[in-house]
Amino acid sequence: MLDALGLMDGETVAIIGPQTSATAHVVSQIANEIHIPMLSFGATDPTLSSLQYPFFVRTTQNDLFQMAAIAEIIDYYGWRDVTAIYVDDDHGRNGIAALGDKLAERRCRISHKAPISPSLSRENIGNELKTANSEESRIFVLLAYADWGLEVFSVAQDKGMTGSGYVWLVTDWLASTFDTDTSIFSEAIGGVQGAITLRMHTPDSQQKTKFVSGWSKLTRDKMVNGTELNTYGLYAYDTVWLLAYGIDAFFKQGGNISFSQDPKVTEQHRGKLQVDEVRIFNGGDLLLHSILQVNTTGVAGPIKFDSDRNLIHPAYEVMNVIGKGFKRIGYWSNYSGLSVVPPETLYTKPPNRSSLSQELESVIWPGQTKQKPRGWVFPENGRQLRIAVPNHVIYHELVSVKGADSFSGYCIDVFTAAMKSLPYDVPYKLHAFGDGINKPKISELLQLIEDGVYDAAVGDLAITNNRTRIVDFTQPYVESGLVVVAPVQKLNSNSLAFLRPFTPMMWLVTGIFFLVVGVVVWILEHRVNDDFRGPPKRQIATIIWFSFSTLFFSHKQNTVSSLGRFVLLIWLFVVLILNSSYTASLTSILTVEQLSSPIKGIESLVTSNDRIGFQRGSFAENYLAEEYNIARSRLVALNSDEDYAKALKDGPQKGGVAAVIDERAYIELFLSTRCDFSIVGQEFSKSGWGFAFPRDSPLAVDMSAAILKLSEGGELQRIHDKWLQRSACSSEGAKESINRLHLKSFWGLFLMCGVACLLALLLYLIKILWKFSNYSEDTEPSSRGTSSLGLQTFISFVSEKEADITSRSKKRRMERASNKVRGGDESPNCSFGNSNEV
């Protein structure tokens, strides 16, 4: 420090150093006064910013990035709470503050801070570690200096804090100590086994290899021990060259070394610093600018500064202490996070910070185990967890509170079974929440968990979006969405029950198609099939009989024409489908109890103005008002299942409700003894029940795993059957309202049949016109007559049997042929007679 004060009245143009952040804070203030750039390869304190200290240039990595790396490692392994042990000075406090900020970005936190002064005795260090060990977290972050940090590890080993279940994350001082002097490190190797530490990453290069080789040869020739190179030594070497490049650029830009005196500054520091005058470097700004513009590559990597005056591409190696050395398990870089490949390889690719891309190799943790530590425990002297249990008014099968220490029910059994399956003991005590008269408000209970009054809540707690913003829920142990329950009436069988399968429109369209198909087949078969000929009354009867007899495939008339067979084939397929559907629906109607309700589901309630009931304190009230825009004036709060039944029986006309909306689990219990009501429509929301814990509670994660284990082993189903076994009355299959067959389900079949009929008629019309044209040519011109007579002839042609027309046409052609023959024989005779006369 005294040497630094001497700079104020000397002719210094730059400073390299100091090596500690605490000293750098003081010297940086002096450098600011006299405009001298200060280059430090050892001051990593993140608060040494260019805004506060404009002439401070950090030529090593900023601790802000080291704390970001530690925070990402903690998040990578899924831990949430850590204990910070640090040296109680500006460097330690500022570093831990930066760590807290980085942890908060990942929803992690420092649950306990243990500042320890380097001057404390071994006994005092032990007391601080004992206090830290009494906390739940077993993740320790150690920020220290070399000698003092190894002393902390030695005391922690004596207290059994370096064994199985513990995690030690150490800043880069541990790797630097090992790199510098392995003999010192080997003495304390036992206490740091399994720890994870960081080392500033310096890319491999020929320049680095040559320098390290030269340094090793120099120290070996001088026989100097404990002076091996660490990463700080590499940055120190680069710092000298950085200053050299900066001074060279300074002179090339016309800079010159000159000093001036500032009487105001001299007077300000004369008394307290004991200096006669303060000399200010006139070219300080230009030299600083020249240094910051350097862009080259040193033994530690690229030498280039970003806009915040930090070296570009900050990166660390993640090291695991194993045996007598380190194992590199990966890298961290500000570019792509955690990876197992060197950062310089990733710089050529687009940045990827997704959770799936984060990767580290396997770790040997303290206690020589490969299993990742849980990271927290319940201290032996810790208090019992206060578990709140909603004191229900109804549905005691779910939760029943019979006294201060007597709890039972489905939810309680699930919670108890999950607790027993945890790999550790959890001390807890259940506390009733509510007076047992009115249903407790779950929102108030969850708020008390957030406020720290309770440590968890157990019961029928529906998991909703709003509630997850307050607490963390476990894996759902019950799937339960909102359903509509309404009064239903039994549809008794009567003499017209056979008409129920089809709707009136379906019956009408089916009957019309029976007649249409009969008429089409008659048209196609009338001229060629004797079964479709005869007197008009007989033909009408044939059409009706043929069409409706196809329903039973018992029609006795055979089809002769190809078009008729084509239409009949399509129609028989349609009849087969209709017949099968009708039989299935009628069987269901006559064998299964059918229930009818004017309420068809949530949609019919939304469009009506009827009052709707809900369980008091349930989230259903806000859900209906916010999601379906149902006026709150229509919503009626009900306290008990008896209130449900009375309100539903009274109906809206007598001050009751048209329907009640509640979660399926509740409704199934309600319907287990009441067969006058039924679930109508479909479940219109998806949710579940879980246990509530404070945000980021590690116990919530372990309880979720325990619930999944119970589910996979069948224990969860056995508990469900014990408490919530449904009776036949609540069976959903027996309470479905009647589903009649509608026309929309068969319009495709009818369309296909209609198209087939039209196509057949069109082809038949073309064919008959062509035959009529040929028939007209065979007819005498005198008999064709006018257009009216031609139409009559066409109608007569169509109605006449085709075989008769064909026979008559053939006879006429034969007569014309014979007449031509006779006419030919008479002509020669006439000529001969005339010649004789001549």
Side-chain angles (χ1 to χ4, degrees):
M1 179 64 67
L2 294 177
D3 294 336
L5 296 178
L7 300 174
M8 301 189 70
D9 57 356
E11 294 185 353
T12 305
V13 299
I15 303 172
I16 295 180
Q19 299 184 33
T20 63
S21 297
T23 307
H25 275 278
V26 178
V27 178
S28 293
Q29 295 180 5
I30 300 175
N32 289 345
E33 295 287 355
I34 58 180
H35 294 188
I36 295 178
M38 187 183 79
L39 290 71
S40 176
F41 56 86
T44 59
D45 189 338
T47 62
L48 287 167
S49 65
S50 59
L51 294 177
Q52 186 176 1
Y53 305 105
F55 282 87
F56 172 77
V57 179
R58 193 194 323 269
T59 59
T60 187
Q61 299 296 346
N62 191 332
D63 263 351
L64 186 67
F65 300 114
Q66 182 171 204
M67 298 307 158
I70 293 176
E72 289 199 32
I73 293 173
I74 292 170
D75 182 55
Y76 173 78
Y77 288 111
W79 300 314
R80 288 292 173 262
D81 292 350
V82 303
T83 295
I85 303 174
Y86 57 96
V87 59
D88 192 12
D89 62 6
D90 288 341
H91 172 62
R93 288 188 292 269
N94 295 334
I96 292 303
L99 175 63
D101 294 338
K102 293 299 181 180
L103 288 173
E105 294 176 1
R106 301 181 173 276
R107 291 187 62 185
C108 305
R109 66 188 182 104
I110 299 176
S111 59
H112 178 73
K113 294 181 180 181
I116 302 178
S117 173
S119 61
L120 288 181
S121 64
R122 186 179 179 88
E123 181 180 358
N124 291 332
I125 295 176
N127 293 334
E128 291 291 342
L129 292 181
K130 181 179 180 180
T131 302
N133 198 40
S134 65
E135 300 293 327
E136 294 181 0
S137 175
R138 286 295 179 263
I139 313 299
F140 296 103
V141 178
L142 180 59
L143 192 159
Y145 302 121
D147 295 340
W148 179 79
L150 293 176
E151 182 71 12
V152 171
F153 267 118
S154 177
V155 176
Q157 184 180 15
D158 293 343
K159 292 189 172 296
M161 296 175 61
T162 59
S164 179
Y166 289 86
V167 176
W168 287 86
L169 301 175
V170 188
T171 53
D172 62 354
W173 64 266
L174 185 60
S176 298
T177 302
F178 175 79
D179 293 339
T180 303
D181 191 351
T182 56
S183 62
I184 297 177
F185 186 76
S186 60
E187 297 175 0
I189 192 67
V192 297
Q193 287 295 308
I196 293 179
T197 185
L198 300 178
R199 174 196 284 156
M200 287 185 289
H201 175 65
T202 56
D204 293 332
S205 63
Q206 293 183 354
Q207 186 178 1
K208 173 183 173 182
T209 303
K210 182 179 180 181
F211 175 71
V212 172
S213 176
W215 179 269
S216 299
K217 183 178 182 302
L218 177 63
T219 55
R220 185 173 57 253
D221 293 342
K222 299 288 186 180
M223 296 192 315
V224 180
N225 296 325
T227 56
E228 297 296 327
L229 272 177
N230 59 30
T231 52
Y232 286 98
L234 299 178
Y235 280 110
Y237 180 78
D238 285 346
T239 301
V240 176
W241 278 103
L242 171 63
L243 180 57
Y245 285 125
I247 293 176
D248 181 61
F250 169 77
F251 286 118
K252 288 181 178 180
Q253 297 178 61
N256 60 83
I257 299 177
S258 61
F259 298 87
S260 61
Q261 298 181 5
D262 189 336
K264 294 183 179 179
V265 177
T266 301
E267 186 65 26
Q268 180 181 356
H269 295 283
R270 187 188 301 274
K272 56 184 179 181
L273 297 180
Q274 298 180 355
V275 294
D276 296 331
E277 60 182 17
V278 177
R279 297 169 61 83
I280 299 175
F281 179 36
N282 295 327
D285 292 328
L286 180 59
L287 179 58
L288 176 64
H289 177 76
S290 301
I291 292 172
L292 295 176
Q293 294 302 311
V294 171
N295 184 4
T296 187
T297 301
V299 295
I303 303 176
K304 184 180 179 180
F305 297 93
D306 60 19
S307 58
D308 295 326
R309 293 193 186 178
N310 293 314
L311 290 174
I312 63 171
H313 301 324
Y316 288 85
E317 298 176 7
V318 185
M319 315 295 290
N320 183 206
V321 182
I322 301 176
K324 296 183 178 181
F326 291 100
K327 173 192 174 184
R328 184 171 56 216
I329 60 173
Y331 302 87
W332 176 91
S333 68
N334 196 42
Y335 184 77
S336 57
L338 300 172
S339 67
V340 294
V341 298
E344 50 269 18
T345 304
L346 301 176
Y347 294 147
T348 60
K349 303 177 182 179
N352 185 1
R353 299 302 295 267
S354 66
S355 58
L356 296 178
S357 67
Q358 306 301 293
E359 184 181 4
L360 290 175
E361 295 180 5
S362 61
V363 177
I364 302 298
W365 301 100
Q368 299 299 309
T369 178
K370 290 186 177 181
Q371 183 178 2
K372 185 195 74 173
R374 188 171 66 248
W376 65 278
V377 296
F378 283 98
E380 296 180 358
N381 58 347
R383 63 175 178 83
Q384 291 181 326
L385 296 182
R386 292 173 53 85
I387 310 294
V389 179
N391 192 356
H392 271 294
V393 181
I394 55 176
Y395 305 129
H396 296 293
E397 297 91 340
L398 300 173
V399 175
S400 177
V401 181
K402 299 180 180 178
D405 298 317
S406 179
F407 299 86
S408 62
Y410 170 68
C411 301
I412 302 300
D413 281 6
V414 172
F415 177 76
T416 304
M419 279 292 189
K420 290 180 179 179
S421 66
L422 293 177
Y424 50 87
D425 294 330
V426 179
Y428 68 91
K429 183 176 182 181
L430 301 178
H431 298 266
F433 178 76
D435 55 12
I437 301 175
N438 298 309
K439 179 179 174 62
K441 292 185 176 181
I442 302 302
S443 58
E444 295 180 358
L445 172 58
L446 300 182
Q447 188 61 50
L448 292 176
I449 295 177
E450 184 182 35
D451 296 339
V453 178
Y454 293 109
D455 299 301
V458 174
D460 49 340
L461 308 176
I463 303 173
T464 65
N465 183 46
N466 291 334
R467 291 176 178 179
T468 55
R469 300 172 183 174
I470 303 175
V471 296
D472 280 350
F473 285 94
T474 62
Q475 170 80 15
Y477 61 92
V478 169
E479 297 293 335
S480 181
L482 292 177
V483 294
V484 178
V485 61
V488 293
Q489 294 179 349
K490 183 178 179 180
L491 296 176
N492 298 319
S493 299
N494 53 39
S495 59
L496 299 179
F498 67 92
L499 295 177
R500 288 184 186 172
F502 287 168
T503 61
M505 179 59 68
M506 183 68 182
W507 280 117
L508 177 62
V509 173
T510 303
I512 292 175
F513 262 84
F514 269 107
L515 296 176
V516 168
V517 171
V519 171
V520 171
V521 173
W522 176 83
I523 293 173
L524 299 175
E525 296 289 324
H526 176 66
R527 299 183 69 247
V528 296
N529 195 336
D530 290 336
D531 291 338
F532 291 87
R533 297 188 64 82
K537 290 184 178 180
R538 179 187 174 186
Q539 296 187 44
I540 293 175
T542 299
I543 293 173
I544 297 175
W545 167 254
F546 175 82
S547 60
F548 284 98
S549 63
T550 56
L551 177 63
F552 310 102
F553 305 98
S554 61
H555 49 284
K556 65 179 182 179
Q557 294 83 358
N558 294 321
T559 53
V560 177
S561 66
S562 299
L563 293 176
R565 291 175 178 177
F566 169 70
V567 172
L568 184 60
L569 178 64
I570 298 298
W571 175 242
L572 289 178
F573 175 73
V574 174
V575 170
L576 176 65
I577 301 299
L578 293 176
N579 196 4
S580 302
S581 302
Y582 175 86
T583 303
S585 180
L586 182 61
T587 302
S588 175
I589 291 174
L590 297 179
T591 57
V592 178
E593 180 185 16
Q594 299 295 328
L595 304 175
S596 176
S597 172
I599 305 297
K600 302 303 180 184
I602 184 62
E603 293 80 9
S604 58
L605 288 176
V606 172
T607 56
S608 70
N609 293 319
D610 294 335
R611 286 151 52 94
I612 304 171
F614 68 93
Q615 185 180 169
R616 185 181 298 276
S618 170
F619 74 94
E621 178 183 11
N622 291 331
Y623 184 84
L624 294 174
E626 296 173 2
E627 298 295 330
Y628 288 92
N629 295 321
I630 297 177
R632 294 184 184 270
S633 59
R634 292 177 54 197
L635 303 177
V636 180
L638 303 173
N639 286 323
S640 64
D641 49 355
E642 289 79 8
D643 292 344
Y644 280 18
K646 183 178 184 304
L648 289 171
K649 288 180 179 179
D650 291 343
Q653 294 78 13
K654 297 182 180 180
V657 297
V660 170
I661 294 179
D662 208 343
E663 296 178 72
R664 178 178 287 274
Y666 294 134
I667 296 303
E668 289 178 349
L669 289 173
F670 172 73
L671 296 178
S672 63
T673 57
R674 296 173 177 85
C675 296
D676 296 334
F677 314 103
S678 174
I679 295 174
V680 294
Q682 300 296 321
E683 186 176 292
F684 61 92
S685 76
K686 292 294 183 181
S687 63
W689 292 353
F691 304 132
F693 290 87
R695 294 293 298 273
D696 303 321
S697 171
L699 185 56
V701 178
D702 290 351
M703 284 293 287
S704 294
I707 291 173
L708 288 175
K709 183 178 179 181
L710 293 177
S711 178
E712 293 171 356
E715 181 65 20
L716 200 60
Q717 185 62 41
R718 285 190 287 271
I719 299 174
H720 179 276
D721 295 341
K722 172 185 175 182
W723 291 98
L724 306 178
Q725 188 67 38
R726 295 181 297 171
S727 67
C729 190
S730 64
S731 176
E732 185 176 347
K735 289 184 173 291
E736 289 291 334
S737 61
I738 184 170
N739 291 319
R740 308 181 74 178
L741 300 176
H742 295 265
L743 177 62
K744 63 182 180 181
S745 301
F746 301 94
W747 71 268
L749 289 173
F750 287 121
L751 178 63
M752 179 179 65
C753 184
V755 170
C757 291
L758 291 176
L759 180 61
L761 288 176
L762 179 62
L763 294 176
Y764 176 77
L765 180 61
I766 295 173
K767 178 182 177 182
I768 203 68
L769 289 175
W770 177 76
K771 288 187 176 182
F772 180 71
S773 176
N774 293 336
Y775 173 78
S776 298
E777 292 177 357
D778 294 337
T779 306
E780 294 295 333
S782 60
S783 64
R784 297 176 187 175
T786 63
S787 59
S788 60
L789 292 176
L791 179 60
Q792 293 178 1
T793 303
F794 177 74
I795 294 176
S796 176
F797 174 81
V798 172
S799 62
E800 193 172 357
K801 189 174 182 180
E802 184 174 354
D804 295 342
I805 295 176
T806 303
S807 176
R808 188 165 56 251
S809 297
K810 183 177 181 181
K811 182 178 180 181
R812 287 177 179 176
R813 287 194 296 272
M814 293 177 64
E815 290 177 352
R816 285 198 295 271
S818 62
N819 291 336
K820 289 182 179 180
V821 171
R822 287 195 299 268
D825 293 340
E826 293 174 355
S827 297
N829 295 332
C830 292
S831 300
F832 180 79
N834 293 335
S835 61
N836 291 335
E837 290 177 359
V838 172

